Amino acid sequence: MLYRRPPSRFGINSLSVKLSLLISSICLIAGVCAAFFMLKSEEKQLVFEEHEVLKSSTDLLVRQFKERIETKVNIAKQANNIVNEQLFQKNSPIDLTSKAQLQFNSDGTIRSASSDGLSAAFLPQEKFTPFYKQLFNNSEALWDVISPTLVYDFYNFYLITNDDFIRISPPNWALNAPADFRVSGGSTYKYVRESLGNSVEPEWSKVYYDRVWHDWVISLLVPIYSNNEFIGVTGSDITLNKLVSFLPIGDKEKNLLVFDSKGQLLAHPDLSTSLLAEYGKNNKKVAMDEFVNPQLKSIISEAIATKLPEYASSFLQNDEAHLINIQKIDQLDWYIGVYKKRSSTLSALQDLKLKFFGLFILYAILVALLLHQALQHLVLRRLHSLVYAVSSFGQGKLDTQFPEENKDEIGTLNGSFKDMTVEIRKLIDGLNQRITEKEIAEKAANRLSKAVAFSGTGVVITDENFVIEYVNPKMLEMTGYPESHFTRAPLLNIIASDMAILVEDIDIDLRSRNYWRGDTLIESKDKQPIWVSLSVSPIREEGGNITSYVASAQDISFVKESQRKMEQLAYFDTLTGLANRTFFRMQLRKSLALAERGHYAFSLFYFDLDEFKRINDTLGHDAGDQLLIQVANRLKKRLRSEDTIARLGGDEFAVLLSGIESQEHATDVAHTIQQTLNMPIMLGNNEVIISASIGITMAPYDSLEEDQLLKHADLAMYEAKEKGRNTFHFYSQELNAAANERLFIENELRIALKEDQFVVYYQPQIDSRTQKVVGYEALLRWFHPTEGLIPPDKFIPIAEATGLIVELGEWVLQESCDFVVRLTEQNRENNVSINLSARQFKDSNLVPTLSKMIITSGVSAKRLHLELTESMLMGNVEAAIAQLHELKALGISISIDDFGTGYSSLSYLKRFPVDILKIDRSFVQDIPEDSNDMEITAAIIAMAQKLNLDVVAEGVETIDQVEFLQNNNCFIVQGYYYSRPIPESDLPDLYLKLGEVPFKKVM
């Protein structure tokens, strides 16, 4: 009990003195608490010591385990050395003479099982070589010696090479492996190969499920090098159960936990062998969540993340605390954990805590009674009076009287509250005034808020960091998103992904100038992005500091749709819906501007459809239009939406591919376009297959000028056509040089025609039986005054393309007619063969012009032989036949040149009024070395004889070729064996060479 002294002159005047007794009581309580904390400290010490004991036992277990696996590693290395020396070093001291029984199976494999059943081998047939034949024999003999010992230590022992050769003991795996299985392509082999690098040390694989043995295994692979080149590995498999059995706990209170660095569970008290096998059969890793609670799983994750060699912790399992020690096995990349219950260690301490807490509760009740009495008499009664006064004042009774002031602390508190009430009365008067002003401001703000809320414009308000704090209903209505979608999101997130390229520029403007205004797309939930006129402006305080931003978005979809329709008419092709030439040039300029600023690179594809004119002419223009539409649709489906696809006119297309920085990437796209176009297309009842010749140029590498890029792409496309069509070609400086050369030749051709720079050379056609000249082939030569001799293969294609070939052809025809007349005057009745170009043959003036030449020159028409190629006669076959008959009516002979290299359609050949077949030099030049060419040439001669056609062989250069042709009844030959093409002035020397009577040279 508290002792209350009677009042005296030494009475208690200070509240601090009165409370001294209370402080003494609190000190007693503090002492009890200190004892409690000592118990807690003792508990921690016991737990620490138990952790140390658990760590020591785990250390011993791990050390023994490492010794066991090191023994396995040494055995595997020794076995690897034996295999390397005996099979790959060619210094084998062991007699490996053996002949393995190889089975070449219909599934494409070679399998071999040893006669004693100790091993088997496997190899894909396409990898079989003499080396592997010897390896089958030698490895079988070696495995007969070493496998009985190694299989005792390992589940499997095998050799694998990079060519998927396998020799394994026991033999089951090689005999049962699927035919298409390739070990070198397997995940385990690749993993170990990458881990090895250039190392010669063994490497453990990850644990995996063996579907032949139906067991979880781990492989120890040792590399084999021959002449410093990696050729394969020797492998030793150990089952997971066998390896885990090397970890005996030896204590019923302890449990074993094994997992790898990927978190795969390998051993657990609840993980039985049969359950582990079920996971393997279902091709699943062991799900840790099924065996480990979240606390232990967190410990496992932390142990893996820290990568420390040793880790200790504690966790709850089945409402009971456990201690765990985890150590890492670096060789296997495993973690081994041993854990046990903590209850056995702390059982004695728990009893002591129960007794102590009982005493503490009794003492606490006694102290509480003493405190209650002291506080009631000394403090609470006076505080109650003060609380009553404060409560009355708080309820609005502003005239409430407070208790009198005394000299102790509570008296001082009474005076302070009394003074405070005076100040509060003044504050209330001022607050009432401010409330009135606030109500007026709130009404004004409410009007502004409603104006924003009911505005027909979408409004977004952000903080100073552009984080959205408010969106009005119109913005929610426009986008279809709920308010939660915008709250606390960055302002620029409202901009659609289609405008992502502008986001960076908008952000720069906002942060540098604090405002932005323009048209853009914003995201919407259930429809396409919406076009808006967006304005972002800052909201400033009186001091000028920005506190927030307001963004207003006015829907301009109708305006943009109207613009789109106008642009569709102005910038898009009405047939295909692709961009037209105008829009394409605009996009090209934009891409060049971005490329020049260093934003990105792009590629320009320029192509047209091969044989489109033929399809248009044969199936009609409606079919041609349908073909163009289908091509456009295919391009739109296969290419990206950000790529610009344009139809420039006719069958010409162009594609701008953004983000293409390498020719390899552009090549992939070109292959994609070709594959897309090469698929058959149905045009009515007709199925057609088309192709494209594609020219490719890379920006900014090739050029940063619009016209230059288009020119480069066009040059590359024509080069693709020259290469045979249905292909693609990249622009290079050589193409530019070739184009300049082409332009030079084209300009010089016109001058050459005016200045008579052309000469006709003649190559004789010889009857090999009599060694007599029976005819000539007229060949055009161009002697330029500064460039010298310009080869025909350079200027003829240009003359053909520009139409100058018609004028040149007429000149050659006239020269040839005059040449025949001069031969006749010299009593030499020889024929002259003149090559017609495709453009000449299709010229409507050919027959009248030739008829006029025959009449004016007086030449015998039967001495003129016109040579045409097979490809010239295809296309409009009926028109070609009609033209041939008109020429035949003049008395001229028709010769098919380069026979066998074109279409070679026999059904058309029998309809053409042809007199002569010329065997192309490509079939003659490899006689007698190429038997195929000999057979083809003999067949052409036999066919011509059956069709009553004369045969001329060109390109004859050796006596062997002459004799072969004679033996096959082809006697008229032409080639360097007898003479090159020569000018008319050199003909007398030719006659002398051939033993003919010479005649006076024609000057």
Side-chain angles (χ1 to χ4, degrees), residues 14-30:
S14 174
L15 182 60
S16 61
V17 175
K18 296 175 183 178
L19 293 177
S20 60
L21 293 174
L22 296 178
I23 295 172
S24 299
S25 300
I26 294 172
C27 288
L28 289 174
I29 297 172

Side-chain angles (χ1 to χ4, degrees), residues 86-87 95-102 112 114 119 121 128-144 165 167:
Q86 304 304 319
L87 299 183
D95 182 12
L96 297 180
T97 56
S98 175
K99 185 167 181 64
Q101 298 298 320
L102 306 185
S112 172
S114 64
S119 68
F128 186 66
T129 63
F131 169 78
Y132 280 108
K133 179 179 180 181
Q134 187 64 35
L135 191 57
F136 268 106
N137 298 331
N138 292 352
S139 62
E140 178 177 308
L142 181 60
W143 252 245
D144 288 345
F165 173 83
R167 167 66 67 181

Side-chain angles (χ1 to χ4, degrees), residues 505-561:
D505 293 338
I506 296 173
D507 184 64
I508 292 173
D509 284 350
L510 288 176
R511 297 187 185 280
S512 60
R513 299 189 295 173
N514 302 123
Y515 74 90
W516 186 84
R517 182 177 291 109
D519 296 345
T520 186
L521 286 167
I522 62 173
E523 293 283 4
S524 64
K525 182 178 181 182
D526 301 322
K527 50 187 176 181
Q528 294 292 328
I530 304 168
W531 274 106
V532 297
S533 177
L534 181 65
S535 173
V536 183
S537 304
I539 300 175
R540 301 180 184 271
E541 292 182 336
E542 293 182 358
N545 294 330
I546 296 175
T547 59
S548 56
Y549 289 85
V550 59
S552 60
Q554 181 70 41
D555 190 343
I556 57 171
S557 300
F558 175 76
V559 175
K560 288 293 183 180
E561 179 61 20

